[in-house]
Amino acid sequence: MRRFGRSFPVPRAALSAFLSPASRRTPFRPESGFPVPLSPRRLRSRRLWPRWNTVPEDARVLGVARTLTSATRLMDVLRLLPPEDGIRVSVTVNPGSVFGDGLADYFDALGATVLSWREATRQRFDLAVACAVHPSMRRLDAPLMVMPHGAGYNRLVTESTGDPSAPAGLSRRELTRWGRVVPAAIGVSHDEQIARLARTCPEAVPVAHLIGDYCFDRIAQSVPRRDLYRASLGVGHGRRLVVINSTWSEHSLLGRHPDLPLKLVSALPADEYAVAIVLHPNVWARHSRYGVRRLLGTAMDAGLLVLPPEEGWRAALIASDWVVGDHGSTTFYSAALDRVVLLAATGLDELDPASPTAALSRAAPRLDPEGDLLDQLLTAAERHHPERQQGPTDSQLAARGEAGRRHREVMYRFLARRHIRPPATPPDPDPVPEPRPERHLGPTAYDVTGEVLPDDSVALRRWPAVRPGCEEPRGLVDEESRGFLAVTDEETSGYKRSSAAVVARTVTDAELAPVDWLRGRIPDAHAGHDVAVAALADDRCLLLLRTGEVLLEAHAPRSFGHPAARLDPLLLGSAVAVWLHEKRTAEELSAGLLLRTGVRCVRVTFTAPP
């Protein structure tokens, strides 16, 4: 070798080490005989040197993700490797998926140690864990453990498998390379998947392990937190929750019926039902967050809650009463939770006919998007028998409650050579996080119907008055008995504001005093209003009745043993409007009013000004 015009001998051993394939994975060492300057990669690798560690890190585990779906499942599994056992966990993104956008941002938000794919393939690990398999993972210098990223292996994706009869994750193309099985371990949630693997890739059967479904175990463990999750979603006061679930592809619920979210949220009485939607992360990745929000914007204006793709869907299932879905894993988990499930799309065209998910799609009741949606929900609840869903779910979710232990047993086998033993006690699944839905301000206009019952209580129902591209309020009941329009002061449609029988101001700390605002509503700007209401507090409102310009203060007193009642100003104004419409007088309100919305009752007292 020549340097500065002079030659010097190079040890043959050092030259061989420099040219060997292993040297492309292992950082250069000073003892190699080469005065190599420190590259950025070598500087980063120095952080892995033991002498820099504050706590021991005797083993290295790499998490590998291709999509957000596999990434969220991966983080579930990696939490089973506690750092106190001396295990360092890094993550990387296996490139190439059309649904891989935003993965690095997701990991960064979690504060994970993220390696580029190039860095990951140049380092050695004791174990690599992936929740979606791909042939390119053979480049990793680590034993590879793969597992499903949903409820089992169900979907036929010929673009990935090259086999129209093999479900994604169990095909020979994904699992082998040059006749050799790439994964060192394949996790399944039920023995029936091993039977299907024996048909699609028999050489991989020896490395298959029944590990259960840790994701579902976390869901089942979190059921006692149902009330907490419902409160986070704003589902209280007797309301029931309908969750819409759509997987991805043209065969999904959203692919077949893109207007169903708006139809559902518009068809259900707003004070008795709430509607939330869970979309497969691939929908968000393919169409962007901006595109999804555009698609659902009108429904969100009507009150639709949108769960983000990273987390919240599990808590929403626990909080739900109905799930309207398709062949996605979320719907399958809902059936396993004994929720009332209706399918708006079956997805049988892209499911493995032998899979339990296909069996559930064939057996579950259907929802007709063009029919009476509320009646279909109520009928399905009356006819619901959990045992009808038990067969398909039991044939896909085995070893319930044991998934954490089984996952650990398989992973720690690869760490044994580092003298790391599994913890003595089995892991207790962590509760799933509280949901944080995206929501708009909510409906600012309602179609209202009501009646005075024989006990002098007022029963009300109201629906969001939403119709995209049209100013005229939408009648959500029969045209001859639709009722009247009630709007909040935030409503921007001039047509709705001028046509409303009731107007309410929901902001308590407003610029105008309540009395001044009320007196400006009725005689001048909006002569059509029968009742104007201004919120004073959560349980108090000020009303002005157009007839006689009667001013009243309303209060919802707290009953013994009950939490403080919330008095919705728009709902109160609608009840008073119904009362007056039934030829009742303002003087009769001095005895109080019982307001009913579904199963919820609120007693209201009225006080005239001194």
Side-chain angles (χ1 to χ4, degrees):
M1 179 176 290
R2 183 171 297 274
R3 183 182 181 189
F4 301 116
R6 298 177 59 187
S7 61
F8 60 92
V10 178
R12 182 179 297 274
L15 185 60
S16 299
F18 176 72
L19 298 176
S20 68
S23 68
R24 291 193 292 270
R25 295 191 301 264
T26 306
F28 291 116
R29 302 296 187 214
E31 60 269 19
S32 64
F34 292 90
V36 182
L38 290 177
S39 66
R41 182 176 68 83
R42 291 189 62 207
L43 286 171
R44 286 193 296 271
S45 70
R46 279 200 166 190
R47 292 178 299 179
L48 308 179
W49 289 7
R51 72 188 191 91
W52 299 112
N53 295 336
T54 303
V55 294
E57 292 181 343
D58 301 317
R60 299 184 61 201
V61 174
L62 178 69
V64 186
R66 284 183 58 79
T67 64
L68 181 58
T69 316
S70 64
T72 56
R73 182 64 62 94
L74 179 67
M75 300 312 289
D76 263 4
V77 174
L78 294 180
R79 68 197 304 125
L80 295 170
L81 301 172
E84 58 267 25
D85 283 356
I87 303 171
R88 178 183 179 87
V89 174
S90 307
V91 295
T92 189
V93 177
N94 177 232
S97 173
V98 296
F99 302 115
D101 289 348
L103 269 183
D105 293 337
Y106 168 72
F107 286 131
D108 284 339
L110 295 176
T113 302
V114 183
L115 305 178
S116 69
W117 180 246
R118 182 174 181 178
E119 287 177 307
T121 56
R122 292 187 173 193
Q123 297 181 25
R124 179 172 297 174
F125 299 89
D126 299 290
L127 174 65
V129 181
C131 294
V133 64
H134 191 269
S136 63
M137 294 179 187
R138 72 185 187 280
R139 297 177 55 195
L140 295 170
D141 188 4
L144 176 65
M145 176 182 177
V146 299
M147 59 197 73
H149 58 262
Y153 302 92
N154 307 291
R155 194 187 293 263
L156 300 175
V157 185
T158 55
E159 294 87 349
S160 301
T161 64
D163 184 348
S165 63
L170 298 183
S171 69
R172 178 175 279 107
R173 175 193 282 184
E174 296 169 296
L175 296 174
T176 64
R177 179 70 173 177
W178 304 115
R180 184 179 66 87
V181 176
V182 175
I186 300 172
V188 300
S189 60
H190 196 283
D191 285 330
E192 73 84 25
Q193 294 158 25
I194 298 180
R196 283 191 285 145
L197 179 63
R199 295 193 295 271
T200 59
C201 187
E203 57 268 42
V205 170
V207 298
H209 302 269
L210 174 60
I211 59 174
D213 191 314
Y214 188 63
C215 176
F216 182 74
D217 277 8
R218 289 192 69 194
I219 295 174
Q221 185 81 0
S222 305
V223 169
R225 296 194 172 193
R226 173 178 164 88
D227 287 337
L228 174 65
Y229 299 150
R230 289 173 66 83
S232 298
L233 292 166
V235 183
H237 308 295
R239 296 174 82 196
R240 290 184 283 180
L241 177 63
V242 180
V243 171
I244 305 170
N245 167 55
S246 178
T247 187
W248 60 282
S249 88
E250 61 183 351
H251 302 291
S252 66
L253 178 148
L254 204 61
R256 294 293 178 89
H257 309 288
D259 58 345
L260 183 57
L262 178 58
K263 283 184 176 181
L264 260 173
V265 77
S266 300
L268 305 182
D271 298 296
E272 301 168 47
Y273 300 89
V275 182
I277 189 167
V278 173
L279 299 179
H280 193 285
N282 286 0
V283 178
W284 295 83
R286 185 65 172 173
H287 300 287
S288 78
R289 295 179 185 252
Y290 172 73
V292 169
R293 293 185 182 109
R294 283 192 62 207
L295 177 65
L296 301 176
T298 304
M300 293 178 73
D301 289 340
L304 179 70
L305 305 174
V306 179
L307 277 303
E310 296 84 3
E311 189 54 88
W313 63 272
R314 294 182 282 198
L317 294 190
I318 295 169
S320 70
D321 298 285
W322 288 271
V323 173
V324 176
D326 51 24
H327 55 293
S329 295
T330 300
T331 305
F332 193 92
Y333 288 138
S334 305
L337 280 176
D338 295 335
R339 296 297 181 260
V340 182
V341 172
L342 295 96
L343 299 186
T346 64
L348 289 172
D349 292 336
E350 61 176 0
L351 288 177
D352 180 357
S355 67
T357 299
L360 179 66
S361 290
R362 289 188 291 265
R366 306 290 192 265
L367 180 85
D368 178 10
E370 304 303 324
D372 186 326
L373 299 178
L374 177 58
D375 181 67
Q376 292 181 74
L377 292 176
L378 297 177
T379 301
E382 291 174 1
R383 299 176 179 176
H384 177 61
H385 297 287
E387 60 272 11
R388 295 178 182 174
Q389 302 171 170
Q390 187 174 354
T393 56
D394 283 352
S395 61
Q396 186 145 278
L397 299 173
R400 298 190 188 186
E402 299 181 6
R405 177 182 62 81
R406 289 173 177 261
H407 278 68
R408 267 188 179 173
E409 286 179 354
V410 176
M411 290 189 290
Y412 273 80
R413 290 177 191 174
F414 299 100
L415 307 180
R417 67 189 184 92
R418 296 293 187 185
H419 307 290
I420 296 178
R421 298 179 179 178
T425 57
D428 195 13
D430 298 334
V432 300
E434 295 177 46
R436 300 184 183 277
E438 296 185 31
R439 64 182 89 203
H440 285 182
L441 175 66
T444 53
Y446 291 91
D447 286 304
V448 185
T449 62
E451 60 177 334
V452 179
L453 300 179
D455 63 353
D456 288 340
S457 63
V458 177
L460 286 180
R461 272 192 162 179
R462 55 181 181 167
W463 297 263
V466 177
R467 187 177 185 181
C470 182
E471 279 285 280
E472 185 177 354
R474 178 177 182 169
L476 298 168
V477 293
D478 186 78
E479 279 292 325
E480 297 180 358
S481 59
R482 179 171 61 188
F484 57 89
L485 193 65
V487 302
T488 70
D489 197 40
E490 292 85 16
E491 176 58 52
T492 58
S493 167
Y495 179 90
K496 292 176 182 176
R497 290 170 67 94
S498 61
S499 303
V502 178
V503 62
R505 188 176 75 174
T506 59
V507 177
T508 56
D509 188 12
E511 184 176 11
L512 287 176
V515 173
D516 295 336
W517 181 85
L518 289 172
R519 295 197 183 281
R521 296 306 92 193
I522 289 186
D524 301 323
H526 300 282
H529 294 160
D530 295 326
V531 181
V533 188
L536 299 177
D538 284 346
D539 59 348
R540 290 181 181 273
C541 295
L542 194 63
L543 298 90
L544 184 61
L545 313 186
R546 178 168 175 259
T547 303
E549 292 195 30
V550 178
L551 187 68
L552 297 172
E553 183 174 317
H555 172 55
R558 186 182 71 84
S559 302
F560 176 80
H562 292 269
R566 182 181 180 277
L567 194 56
D568 184 320
L570 196 60
L571 193 64
L572 172 65
S574 300
V576 172
V578 170
W579 178 267
L580 298 176
H581 181 73
E582 295 286 339
K583 309 302 182 185
R584 303 298 180 95
T585 64
E587 289 75 15
E588 292 177 280
L589 290 175
S590 60
L593 184 70
L594 185 63
L595 197 162
R596 300 182 183 273
T597 53
V599 299
R600 182 182 181 231
C601 299
V602 178
R603 173 70 63 179
V604 184
T605 62
F606 295 90
T607 306

